[in-house]
Amino acid sequence: MNALKILTQGIVQGVGFRPYVYRLASELGLKGYVRNLGNVVEIIIEGENTDLFVDRLPKELPPIAKINSMEVESIDESNFTDFEIIESGDSYSGISVIPPDIAICDKCLEEIRNPNDRRYKYAFNACTDCGPRFTVIESVPYDRIRTSMDEFPLCDDCLVEYREPLNRRYHGEAICCSDCGPQMEIYEGLTKIDTENPIRLGAEKLKEGNILAIKGIGGTHLVVDAYNDEAVKELRKRLNRPNQAFAVMCKDLESLQKYAELTQKEIDTITSNKRPIVILKKKDNYPFPDSLSPGLHNIGVMLPYSPMHYLLFDEGDIDTYVMTSANIPGEPMMIKNEEIINGVNDYSLVHNRQILNRCDDSVIRFRNNELSFIRRSRGYTPEPYTINYDVNDLNVLALGPELDVTFSIAKDNIVYPSQHIGNTNKPKTLNFLREAITNMERITKINEFDVIACDLHPHFFTTRLAHELAEKYGADVMPIQHHHAHSVALANDSAIEEMIVIAADGVGFGSDATSWGGEILYTDIKNFERLGHLEPQLMPGGDVATKYPARMLASILKDENLIKNYSSYFKYGDMEIKNIFKQIDAGINVGITTSTGRVLDSMAVALEICHERTYEGECSMKLESAAYYSTNDLEIPAIIEGNMLNTTEILREVVRLYQNGEKKADVAAAGQRAVANGLSKLAVKASENKNIENIGATGGVFYNEAITNTVKNHVESNGFNFIQHKNTCAGDGSVSLGQAIIAKKV
C-alpha cells in the first residue's frame, strides 16, 4: 500500500476542510488522519487510492475553502485502523490564513425561518459553510477553544452534530443554538427591556422612528428607517454627519432593483457570500428622502448577511434600513456593550459574544464594469495577496498612510492586508491599529519583522509608530513615497514590472516636500521617477484650504475681482478675500500642491455645487454627481506646458462658461474631462518617451467613473494598455500593500 503525507496551505481552516478530507478519505477507503497544524492542515493517508485522493482533493473543495499550495511526500506505512480527525498541533509555521466572515448560507437561513426547526429565529445560526471566522478568532490553529465561542460550551444536540462526519456542522467551530450559544438583549437607554423577542421589539421601535444600535458580527450599526426623513436627519444631528451619505441595507435583491440600477457584475457581487456594500446608481423613481445621500447620484447598498439581519426584516415591514457604523467620525466602530448602550441611539440590540477583531463593512464600486474596492474589509480580510515578483526573504510590517489606513504583513511572497482601520490621527483609531497588528501577528504567526515600512511624510502618526515598532522588533524603518506605493499596489494587481502610472488623489507627501496628487510616475517596482504633474498651486492656510476649497479657487484663479462673485463662501466676505491675496503675495502659511483633488474641489466651488468639505471627498463627489446629468458635450482645452498640465486655465474656463449661462452639469462634465484628458496626454507622452506600453491609473480620483472612462478611452485610443485596480483599493486602502511589496523588492 501507499502512504503519503500532505501539507495544504491556503484557506483550509474554519471552512469545513477537515470534515471534507475525512469524507473523501473514507469514501476512498483510506486510513490515517487529518489535523490543523499551526498555519497548515496536515493529512496522512495510506491505502490503495492515495493517488486518486491527491487528484480529487483540490477539485471538490467546500464553498469557502481554497488551496494555495499542496506538498506531497511518501512516508513509511503506519498501519492505521481507520481515518479520523485528531487534535490540532502547533508545530508548523507555514503561510496560511483564517477565512473572512461569510454571509449566512441558504441552509442556515432556511432553518431560522422554519417553525419546526430547533434553530427557528435564532440569531447566531452558522455552519462550516457560513458565519463568523476572522472576527471571533484569537489565534491559530483554528479551534473553538481559540475563539470567542469558547465561552459557549456545546449542548448535547449541537455536540452530536459537531461529532457527526456527514453533518455540515461537523467540526464547525462557530456552531451553536439557543440552548448553548449567544443571546440577544435590547435596552432602552441604560435600561434592559424584558422581552422574549428582542429583534421583533427592535423592528417595532424602528417603525416608530427611533434610532437603534445593533451589535453584529464584526461591529455595530446605527439603524433607522431609510424612508423616514425625520429619523435620518436626527441620526445626522446626533452623529454630527451633516452630509455624508448613509449606506443602507435592503431586504432582498427584488426590492433593491426597484430603486437602483444594477449590472450583472454588481448583482453577482452584492449577492455573493461576502456581501459588501456596493455603490449603485439611483433610478428616477428613487423613493428615499434627499437627506439619505444628499447631492449624490448614487447610494451604497448591501443585502443582509447575518441571521439577525434577516430576522429584523422578517419581524418588520420595512424593506430598507439605514445601516451606518456606530462610531464617532474617524474613530473605530463600537464593539463593547457598555459603550453601545451609552451611545447616541435610543435603543440598543446587543449580544454577549465578544468581537475579537473589529471588521467594518467592505465597500465596492464598479467603473466601466470593473470592480474596485473603496474599502476592503468584512468578507475579504484577512485573505492574502500574492506578490507577483521575485522578492527578498525579509518579514515586513507596512503601516500605510494616515487616513483610510490599512496595514499589511508580508512574509515570503504573501501579503496579509488588515481590515479597514481608519484615520489614525484620532487616538482611539491609532490604538485600534496597535491592537489589530497584535491580533494579526497571532493569526498569521508572524511576529518578527526585519523592516517597518511607512509613509514618507515625517509627521504622520503612522510614521512615528514605525520608529517605535522598529525599536521593539529591532527592525529598520523604510519610508516610502505615497504615490509610489499606490503605483506598486496597482502594478502587482496585473503582475506588471514596469509601467507609467497616473496617480491622482487629494494629497501625498512628495519627494520635494510639497503636496503631490496629480502625478505621472514611472515605476519598476523598486524605484520611481516623476515624469509629469499638474500645475503647482498655492494653498493659502495649508490644510484650511482643503476644508474650505473657496480658498483654493481664489489661489488658482489669481483674480480678486473674479473671486468676489463667491464672497458668500468666505466667512468674512470681501475682507477675507483681500487677506487671502495678501497672504499669497507674502508667502505666509502657504503650501504648494499638485493635487487633483484640490482642483476638482475648486471646480465644485466655481459651479456653486459645494463650498465646504464636511467629509472626505465631499466636493469632488458632488461634482461627479452633478456632471452625471450632463446632456451636452462642452469642451475645455487641456493645455500642456512641458511636463505640466495648466489647471489655472481649466478653472478660468469653467468660471467663464458658467457665468455665460451654460448648464452647471455640462460645465462640470467638461471640467472633469479636461483634467482627465490632460493627465492622459502627459501619461501618453511619458509612455512614448520611455517606450512602455502599460499606463495605469490609481488614487482616490479614480473612483470617479467619468474620469476613469475618459482616461481609459484616451490611453487606449493612443495604442496603450490601460491598467486599473481590480482586486485592490484605488484609494489609500492599498498603500500599505504597495509599501510591503516595495520593501520586499528592494
Side-chain angles (χ1 to χ4, degrees):
M1 291 192 299
N2 297 320
L4 299 176
K5 176 181 179 180
I6 305 169
L7 294 178
T8 60
Q9 300 185 58
I11 302 178
V12 290
Q13 296 195 39
V15 292
F17 184 74
R18 287 174 298 167
Y20 158 67
V21 170
Y22 175 93
R23 290 190 292 271
L24 181 59
S26 299
E27 177 188 335
L28 296 175
L30 300 174
K31 313 298 183 185
Y33 66 80
V34 60
R35 64 170 172 169
N36 284 339
L37 194 63
N39 272 348
V40 305
V41 170
E42 179 190 46
I43 304 167
I44 302 295
I45 51 172
E46 62 180 24
E48 298 296 336
N49 294 315
T50 54
D51 290 344
L52 185 56
F53 178 93
V54 171
D55 180 64
R56 288 177 59 181
L57 182 67
K59 298 177 181 178
E60 303 171 20
L61 294 170
I64 311 171
K66 179 181 179 182
I67 294 178
N68 292 331
S69 70
M70 195 166 79
E71 297 179 17
V72 182
E73 64 173 298
S74 297
I75 58 172
D76 294 333
E77 295 178 31
S78 299
N79 296 315
F80 291 100
T81 58
D82 57 12
F83 193 90
E84 59 183 336
I85 297 176
I86 67 171
E87 185 177 345
S88 298
D90 194 21
S91 60
Y92 191 87
S93 58
I95 298 296
S96 191
V97 69
I98 295 303
D101 298 325
I102 297 298
I104 183 173
C105 68
D106 290 342
K107 291 179 181 178
C108 284
L109 180 58
E110 182 180 343
E111 289 172 345
I112 68 171
R113 286 175 163 171
N114 180 1
N116 298 318
D117 194 281
R118 71 186 189 90
R119 291 186 172 88
Y120 179 52
K121 292 189 177 182
Y122 184 55
F124 300 90
N125 196 16
C127 69
T128 53
D129 292 340
C130 70
R133 299 293 192 277
F134 174 65
T135 53
V136 298
I137 188 171
E138 184 173 12
S139 63
V140 293
Y142 178 69
D143 291 303
R144 196 178 182 95
I145 59 171
R146 283 176 283 271
T147 73
S148 57
M149 293 302 297
D150 185 43
E151 299 177 21
F152 305 97
L154 293 171
C155 66
D156 289 344
D157 288 338
C158 287
L159 199 56
V160 168
E161 295 172 325
Y162 185 82
R163 291 173 173 171
E164 170 51 53
L166 298 181
N167 193 292
R168 77 177 197 281
R169 292 189 169 90
Y170 184 48
H171 279 265
E173 310 303 351
I175 71 165
C176 55
C177 71
S178 57
D179 290 336
C180 62
Q183 301 294 326
M184 302 294 300
E185 298 176 335
I186 190 167
Y187 287 76
E188 180 180 9
L190 302 178
T191 304
K192 180 181 173 181
I193 302 174
D194 186 15
T195 176
E196 291 184 359
N197 193 332
I199 294 177
R200 177 185 294 167
L201 182 57
E204 292 171 358
K205 295 304 178 183
L206 287 168
K207 185 69 174 178
E208 294 171 4
N210 291 287
I211 299 172
L212 175 68
I214 301 180
K215 180 183 177 184
I217 291 175
T220 304
H221 286 119
L222 291 176
V223 187
V224 297
D225 177 358
Y227 296 91
N228 189 326
D229 188 33
E230 185 177 338
V232 174
K233 288 178 178 176
E234 180 62 23
L235 180 58
R236 290 199 174 283
K237 179 180 176 183
R238 295 190 196 180
L239 282 178
N240 191 27
R241 279 177 56 178
N243 296 307
Q244 188 173 4
F246 286 137
V248 300
M249 179 178 284
C250 189
K251 178 181 180 179
D252 52 36
L253 182 62
E254 183 181 3
S255 301
L256 169 57
Q257 288 175 317
K258 294 175 182 177
Y259 60 79
E261 298 177 6
L262 291 99
T263 65
Q264 189 57 52
K265 283 188 177 181
E266 288 169 336
I267 291 173
D268 293 344
T269 301
I270 204 168
T271 59
S272 72
N273 62 9
K274 298 179 181 298
R275 289 290 202 282
I277 296 171
V278 180
I279 308 299
L280 301 172
K281 297 181 180 70
K282 301 173 183 176
K283 284 186 174 179
D284 292 340
N285 62 344
Y286 175 78
F288 303 113
D290 291 339
S291 57
L292 195 61
S293 58
L296 302 180
H297 72 289
N298 46 28
I299 182 172
V301 189
M302 58 183 153
L303 295 179
Y305 56 84
S306 76
M308 65 186 73
H309 295 144
Y310 280 100
L311 293 172
L312 184 70
F313 284 110
D314 289 349
E315 298 288 0
D317 61 357
I318 299 169
D319 67 14
T320 306
Y321 292 111
V322 167
M323 286 263 181
T324 191
S325 298
N327 60 279
I328 297 170
E331 294 190 356
M333 279 191 302
M334 297 177 181
I335 58 173
K336 303 287 187 183
N337 288 1
E338 303 77 32
E339 60 181 348
I340 297 167
I341 292 167
N342 282 281
V344 301
N345 36 293
D346 302 308
Y347 293 84
S348 306
L349 195 56
V350 297
H351 57 75
N352 58 339
R353 182 173 68 195
Q354 289 186 67
I355 297 173
L356 298 182
N357 297 296
R358 281 184 183 89
C359 202
D360 224 321
D361 296 313
S362 294
V363 185
I364 284 172
R365 184 175 183 185
F366 283 80
R367 307 144 310 148
N368 52 66
N369 213 28
E370 291 289 348
L371 180 151
S372 180
F373 284 99
I374 295 176
R375 186 166 70 206
R376 184 184 186 271
S377 204
R378 178 190 52 76
Y380 299 90
T381 301
E383 190 170 343
Y385 291 111
T386 299
I387 301 177
N388 292 308
Y389 314 107
D390 293 331
V391 292
N392 58 46
D393 60 358
L394 302 178
N395 286 1
V396 176
L397 170 62
L399 298 180
E402 185 166 61
L403 305 180
D404 294 325
V405 163
T406 68
F407 68 88
S408 291
I409 289 177
K411 180 178 181 177
D412 299 335
N413 70 330
I414 296 295
V415 181
Y416 297 93
S418 75
Q419 70 272 49
H420 171 73
I421 303 296
N423 299 346
T424 54
N425 54 14
K426 301 277 187 179
K428 286 186 178 180
T429 308
L430 188 62
N431 287 336
F432 172 33
L433 172 60
R434 296 174 186 272
E435 294 168 3
I437 290 170
T438 300
N439 290 346
M440 192 71 85
E441 287 178 6
R442 283 200 301 266
I443 292 172
T444 61
K445 300 182 76 67
I446 304 170
N447 51 26
E448 296 180 354
F449 299 102
D450 304 292
V451 176
I452 312 296
C454 63
D455 197 90
L456 189 61
H457 199 299
H459 302 306
F460 278 177
F461 286 97
T462 47
T463 304
R464 298 175 190 176
L465 179 61
H467 288 275
E468 175 188 321
L469 293 177
E471 289 189 23
K472 173 183 175 181
Y473 296 110
D476 296 325
V477 175
M478 182 182 292
I480 294 171
Q481 202 279 322
H482 183 88
H483 300 101
H484 184 205
H486 265 299
S487 302
V488 170
L490 171 64
N492 190 68
D493 233 0
S494 301
I496 295 171
E497 288 267 5
E498 281 189 311
M499 66 190 307
I500 299 297
V501 179
I502 305 170
D505 59 7
V507 62
F509 192 77
S511 303
D512 59 359
T514 65
S515 295
W516 292 4
E519 313 306 313
I520 309 301
L521 304 179
Y522 160 81
T523 183
D524 63 359
I525 310 303
K526 281 186 181 182
N527 308 294
F528 78 96
E529 182 182 358
R530 191 188 194 199
L531 302 175
H533 52 81
L534 300 190
E535 177 185 2
Q537 301 286 1
L538 300 179
M539 294 180 66
D543 288 343
V544 176
T546 302
K547 181 173 176 58
Y548 300 104
R551 286 175 161 262
M552 277 303 307
L553 181 63
S555 177
I556 293 172
L557 292 179
K558 303 175 180 68
D559 187 326
E560 188 172 340
N561 291 324
L562 194 58
I563 205 66
K564 284 182 179 179
N565 293 318
Y566 302 94
S567 61
S568 62
Y569 292 161
F570 296 86
K571 186 175 182 180
Y572 301 105
D574 290 348
M575 181 185 300
E576 183 177 353
I577 292 172
K578 285 184 177 294
N579 287 335
I580 286 172
F581 279 97
K582 287 180 181 178
Q583 182 180 14
I584 291 171
D585 291 340
I588 299 173
N589 190 22
V590 176
I592 299 174
T593 183
T594 55
S595 166
T596 311
R598 300 293 77 80
V599 172
L600 297 175
D601 288 355
S602 300
M603 208 175 287
V605 176
L607 296 173
E608 301 179 300
I609 293 167
C610 183
H611 66 277
E612 180 182 353
R613 189 197 71 176
T614 65
Y615 62 88
E616 189 73 22
E618 177 178 3
C619 297
S620 296
M621 289 167 64
K622 289 181 174 177
L623 177 73
E624 178 190 4
S625 289
Y628 177 74
Y629 297 102
S630 172
T631 57
N632 184 12
D633 291 337
L634 291 176
E635 285 300 324
I636 293 177
I639 301 172
I640 304 297
E641 299 174 350
N643 292 323
M644 181 189 79
L645 172 64
N646 186 322
T647 50
T648 297
E649 289 305 317
I650 291 176
L651 263 296
R652 285 178 175 169
E653 186 64 6
V654 165
V655 171
R656 186 189 71 80
L657 289 170
Y658 184 52
Q659 291 184 347
N660 285 349
E662 297 288 352
K663 291 181 180 178
K664 184 180 298 188
D666 294 336
V667 182
Q672 286 186 155
R673 277 196 301 274
V675 172
N677 282 326
L679 288 168
S680 303
K681 288 179 181 179
L682 288 171
V684 166
K685 178 182 176 182
S687 296
E688 290 172 343
N689 290 340
K690 286 280 189 178
N691 194 27
I692 292 175
E693 61 182 1
N694 296 307
I695 298 177
T698 189
V701 166
F702 287 102
Y703 290 130
N704 182 309
E705 187 170 25
I707 288 178
T708 303
N709 286 345
T710 299
V711 171
K712 179 178 186 291
N713 292 338
H714 188 105
V715 166
E716 291 180 345
S717 67
N718 280 274
F720 295 92
N721 299 325
F722 179 71
I723 310 298
Q724 65 185 56
H725 289 269
K726 296 176 182 176
N727 299 304
T728 50
C729 297
D732 283 2
S734 67
V735 168
S736 68
L737 171 63
Q739 290 173 344
I741 294 170
I742 292 167
K744 291 284 291 179
K745 187 68 175 172
V746 171

